Amino acid sequence: MRTGLSIVVFAVVLGVVWPLLAVQPRPDTPAGMRAVPLGRPDLPAAPAAPAAPATEPSLLLERGPVPITTPTQEIPLERPPRVPVPESMVIDARCRLTREAGGRWSALQFLDDLPGGFPSRMRVLPGRELELLERLVAEDATAEFRVTGQTTSYRDKAYILPLSIAKDVPIMAQPAARPPAPVPEVKAPQAQGAPVEPTSPDEAERIRSSLMKNRPAKPIVPAPAPRQPPNPEPGVIASSRQPAAPPAGDILINRTIRIARSADGQWMEARFEADNTLQEQPVPLLPCQVLERAETIDGKLRITGVLRRYKGRDYLLLRKALADRDMGQF
């Protein structure tokens, strides 16, 4: 009985102590080598682990330059095409008025070189200024003018809106001046400071000639258009009379229109959408960059423009054109 109990206790102690003895390293095992379990000499020894560095390396110093990569989804930048003439000002430019061969446009031929981007020939937008130029040219075909105006373009054609007109008078050859009479020399009392040398007569004449040469021409102002008298016909009801046309130079602000081609096909005209009486007649639109952009908008537009009158007919020069969107209002 005691022998059997001793055998059981020995077996239990051997099952607990034997695993502990198996994981203990041998005395001859080198540092860093995994101990081979007892009873398994066929297993190879594990490789030694790398030794820890004496100092910790700095990641910021060992990092190389960051490569610059090109974007794979580039957004193309569409640049608008360059217009033939910038919307700018031409100031006091010397020119002549000509007529296009077989055309309905009058043009200004500039006699001096203009800054870069401005052509030497521009069509003149209709208005009272053009009427004045045509009247002066009818009196003198060789007349030259000095014009200040605003330039624009429409479908690769250059236009100018005259704002100020002056007739350029050529400088006539002045007769030779007589030699000045000798002036007796008068000794002035000596004053303190540096002496002032008198101006010679030739130098004074040169200064006077240069001032007269650069003298600006007198501007010519066109006469205002006469007002139309009211309709004196008796028996006409006041509510059925046609409204008087606005004078030239009036500004139409935030009007709703539609752009369509005229019946003769020569002009793009603005058709107003105000009421159902159709009292406002269509107005031809003068060519400009705003009109060129407005033609690409479908539907109704809200515009602002200036009325100009030429030979009894009204024209509209657009200054603003936006799409009139339906916001669901009654």
Side-chain angles (χ1 to χ4, degrees):
M1 185 68 179
R2 289 183 179 179
T3 304
L5 181 59
S6 300
I7 294 173
V8 172
V9 173
F10 178 78
V12 173
V13 172
L14 184 61
V16 175
V17 176
W18 181 261
L20 298 178
L21 296 176
V23 298
Q24 293 294 331
R26 297 180 180 179
D28 56 348
T29 301
M33 295 292 293
R34 184 174 61 88
V36 179
L38 296 177
R40 298 298 302 272
D42 55 335
L43 292 179
T55 59
E56 183 177 358
S58 176
L59 297 180
L60 296 179
L61 297 178
E62 294 181 359
R63 176 179 296 180
V66 179
I68 300 177
T69 58
T70 58
T72 57
Q73 297 180 356
E74 297 182 356
I75 301 177
L77 179 60
E78 297 181 0
R79 296 184 178 181
R82 185 177 180 181
V83 295
V85 56
E87 284 198 344
S88 184
M89 295 291 295
V90 173
I91 300 176
D92 199 29
R94 197 164 58 95
C95 58
R96 287 179 179 174
L97 183 68
T98 59
R99 191 77 178 181
E100 291 186 353
R104 55 190 176 91
W105 287 97
S106 297
L108 289 181
Q109 183 69 38
F110 295 96
L111 305 178
D112 300 329
D113 294 336
L114 297 178
F118 291 96
S120 60
R121 185 182 180 88
M122 301 184 193
R123 292 177 174 180
V124 185
L125 295 178
R128 294 186 303 166
E129 295 80 8
L130 179 57
E131 288 189 46
L132 176 61
L133 287 173
E134 292 176 344
R135 186 170 65 252
L136 295 176
V137 170
E139 299 173 358
D140 183 8
T142 61
E144 298 180 0
F145 307 95
R146 289 190 175 271
V147 174
T148 298
Q150 180 183 2
T151 61
T152 184
S153 63
Y154 176 77
R155 295 184 179 179
D156 298 335
K157 294 291 184 180
Y159 296 84
I160 183 170
L161 175 65
L163 302 176
S164 175
I165 302 172
K167 193 170 183 180
D168 190 20
V169 180
I171 301 177
M172 304 298 295
Q174 299 182 1
R178 297 179 179 179
V183 180
E185 183 178 358
V186 179
K187 293 184 179 181
Q190 188 71 20
Q192 295 181 358
V196 179
E197 298 181 358
T199 305
S200 63
D202 296 340
E203 184 69 16
E205 183 66 21
R206 187 186 65 80
I207 295 174
R208 188 186 69 84
S209 300
S210 62
L211 293 177
M212 294 296 293
K213 180 179 178 180
N214 299 330
R215 185 177 181 180
K218 183 179 181 181
I220 305 175
V221 181
R227 294 185 178 181
Q228 298 180 358
N231 190 2
E233 297 180 3
V236 178
I237 303 176
S239 60
S240 63
R241 291 183 179 181
Q242 297 292 337
D250 274 12
I251 301 178
L252 304 181
I253 301 176
N254 287 337
R255 298 297 305 273
T256 304
I257 67 166
R258 290 182 183 270
I259 297 180
R261 187 168 293 276
S262 60
D264 55 4
Q266 295 184 354
W267 296 94
M268 301 299 293
E269 60 183 14
R271 299 179 180 179
F272 297 93
E273 292 195 2
D275 51 14
N276 297 328
T277 60
L278 300 180
Q279 294 183 356
E280 290 181 306
Q281 300 298 324
V283 180
L285 296 171
L286 295 180
C288 61
Q289 290 188 14
V290 181
L291 175 60
E292 189 172 357
R293 292 191 296 264
E295 291 177 349
T296 61
I297 303 176
D298 297 331
K300 297 184 293 184
L301 295 93
R302 189 167 293 272
I303 59 96
T304 296
V306 181
L307 284 174
R308 295 179 58 82
R309 187 165 298 168
Y310 174 70
K311 294 184 178 180
R313 188 178 184 183
D314 291 334
Y315 298 85
L316 183 61
L317 179 61
L318 295 179
R319 294 300 189 185
K320 181 191 73 172
L322 301 175
D324 188 17
R325 307 187 184 278
D326 187 9
M327 304 302 294
Q329 300 177 354
F330 293 99

